[in-house]
Amino acid sequence: MKRILAFVLVLALVPLCGMARVYTDSAGRPVELGEKVERVAVTGAMAQMLVFAIAPDRMVGLATRWDDSAGGLLEDKYLELPLLGQLYGGKGDLNLEQLLLADPDLVIDVGEPKEGIREDMDDLQARTGIPFVHIDLSEQDMGNAFVELGTLLGLEEEGGKLAAHCQRVYGLCAGLAASSERPRAVYLLGDKGLNTLARGSYHAGLLDVMFENAAVLPDPSGKGTGDPIDLEMLYRWDPEVILFAPSVYEEVGELAEWQPLSAIRACRDYRAPIGPYNWMGQPPSVQRLMGMLWMGEVLYPGQEAYDLYEEIAAFFRLFWHCELSRETFEELVGCTAA
């Protein structure tokens, strides 16, 4: 009888011994986690968008408020999550007090591997007692981040499905651009349309895939706001196509000083779609794959081997967890040409 009771006791203790597991993050840090991660916080907009795609109901807060364009697209319960702040970018206003009140099992950081990332994660983990992990995000291989998230959250099937979709869309659009004559183009943002994402910069990654980026600068900025330029530089580059951030599209196209540009004269200037984020802008996350699909239709009309509405609707279904009507789709992308 004593042996039986001892055996039962050992069996009862086995789950307890297996509760902790170690996950090695992209910064090479071994992080001890609980067996299940049911409550997740994020450190920035990129992490917010990826975690939302794979596990929206595990999120306990937002790093940053969703863009206004998310209203009417995403469910209110996701828009109304408490604001916890972000670690990098913007104000860097991660609120540790609010984070502790949200009581997450894990905090996830996703993005570019910044200098000092190991120290930052270790410090925050020590100060809060909450596990922090970092996952690298490459625009050319967003699928890998979803594979990592699937492993981390015990959602391997969901992560694999999202990863496969990312890889398919990227391959479809990159293949289209590679097999076509690439136009010389620029993407302009900023209050007056005089900032650009220069060739070779971190934030221009997918733009450089889809067109010949005419914005060539000696030391491009790594910031999402891009590099400041002036009209004289634009005159010298004289791109065939200009893609504008939504906020400046209506402001500059009719100004006299823009008229000498070939793209303006040929009516080849376009507004990037927005909803629930700018499809080509900040943050450089999964919504940019929708931007690739849109650029494929705008830059290579008649050559794209896909239906843009069907592709974008599938993206909304998988990544934003909502159905996109054709009417709403037309509102998002319908007014793109001047």
Side-chain angles (χ1 to χ4, degrees):
M1 178 63 72
K2 289 181 179 179
R3 288 183 180 180
I4 293 174
L5 290 174
F7 180 68
V8 171
L9 181 60
V10 168
L11 288 179
L13 289 174
V14 167
L16 296 177
C17 295
M19 283 182 67
R21 61 190 174 103
V22 175
Y23 173 82
T24 301
D25 72 1
S26 298
R29 301 167 53 252
V31 180
E32 188 172 302
L33 305 172
E35 185 179 14
K36 291 185 178 180
V37 177
E38 300 292 348
R39 298 175 59 80
V40 177
V42 293
T43 65
M46 283 195 281
Q48 181 169 305
M49 294 170 77
L50 268 71
V51 173
F52 181 82
I54 193 170
D57 292 319
R58 296 193 190 186
M59 293 176 60
V60 298
L62 302 174
T64 179
R65 290 294 180 200
W66 293 98
D67 186 89
D68 289 344
S69 60
L73 295 174
L74 307 185
E75 290 187 48
D76 287 346
K77 65 178 180 178
Y78 301 127
L79 301 175
E80 295 167 358
L81 285 168
L83 184 64
L84 307 179
Q86 55 187 339
L87 179 59
Y88 300 109
K91 298 177 181 178
D93 54 358
L94 180 62
N95 187 319
L96 296 185
E97 182 178 347
Q98 291 299 315
L99 179 67
L100 290 167
L101 287 173
D103 191 29
D105 301 319
L106 173 67
V107 182
I108 298 176
D109 178 72
V110 175
E112 184 182 11
K114 298 176 177 62
E115 184 178 352
I117 188 70
R118 289 178 61 100
E119 292 77 10
D120 290 343
M121 297 291 102
D122 286 343
D123 176 62
L124 287 164
Q125 188 166 298
R127 290 166 63 189
T128 62
I130 304 168
F132 274 70
V133 302
H134 168 76
I135 297 175
D136 287 352
L137 179 67
S138 162
E139 287 192 309
Q140 285 73 22
D141 186 14
M142 292 189 190
N144 182 65
F146 282 112
V147 170
E148 289 296 319
L149 283 171
T151 300
L152 183 60
L153 301 176
L155 298 170
E156 290 85 356
E157 183 178 350
E158 292 86 345
K161 183 186 296 185
L162 293 168
H165 195 84
C166 289
Q167 291 160 353
R168 186 187 69 80
V169 169
Y170 180 87
L172 183 68
C173 297
L176 170 63
S179 62
S180 308
E181 184 176 348
R182 288 154 43 99
R184 293 178 62 260
V186 293
Y187 175 65
L188 301 179
L189 62 162
D191 293 341
K192 298 181 179 179
L194 291 176
N195 283 63
T196 191
L197 299 182
R199 186 192 300 182
S201 66
Y202 175 76
H203 292 273
L206 295 188
L207 307 184
D208 292 351
V209 170
M210 292 303 296
F211 56 76
E212 190 70 20
N213 194 341
V216 178
L217 297 172
D219 186 23
S221 170
K223 296 181 179 180
T225 51
D227 289 278
I229 59 172
D230 56 39
L231 279 169
E232 290 299 326
M233 298 171 76
L234 273 178
Y235 294 156
R236 289 198 301 273
W237 294 335
D238 197 24
E240 301 167 74
V241 179
I242 297 176
L243 307 176
F244 283 105
S247 58
V248 298
Y249 174 75
E250 303 293 345
E251 301 295 325
V252 302
E254 301 299 322
L255 297 178
E257 56 267 33
W258 288 78
Q259 302 313 304
L261 293 163
S262 296
I264 302 294
R265 294 200 309 271
C267 294
R268 296 204 69 191
D269 57 307
Y270 305 92
R271 173 187 61 80
I274 184 168
Y277 273 100
N278 179 346
W279 293 8
M280 294 171 56
Q282 287 290 87
S285 191
V286 291
Q287 90 284 9
R288 286 194 172 189
L289 291 173
M290 296 195 297
M292 289 186 82
L293 290 163
W294 173 75
M295 282 189 282
E297 180 165 285
V298 166
L299 300 175
Y300 307 102
Q303 300 179 57
E304 74 283 8
Y306 55 84
D307 181 285
L308 185 59
Y309 167 68
E310 294 296 337
E311 288 289 346
I312 298 301
F315 201 96
F316 266 74
R317 196 173 301 118
L318 275 172
F319 292 82
W320 307 127
H321 309 289
C322 61
E323 293 296 325
L324 181 70
S325 69
R326 187 171 288 274
E327 180 182 9
T328 301
F329 166 78
E330 293 292 346
E331 291 174 1
L332 295 179
V333 305
C335 182
T336 56

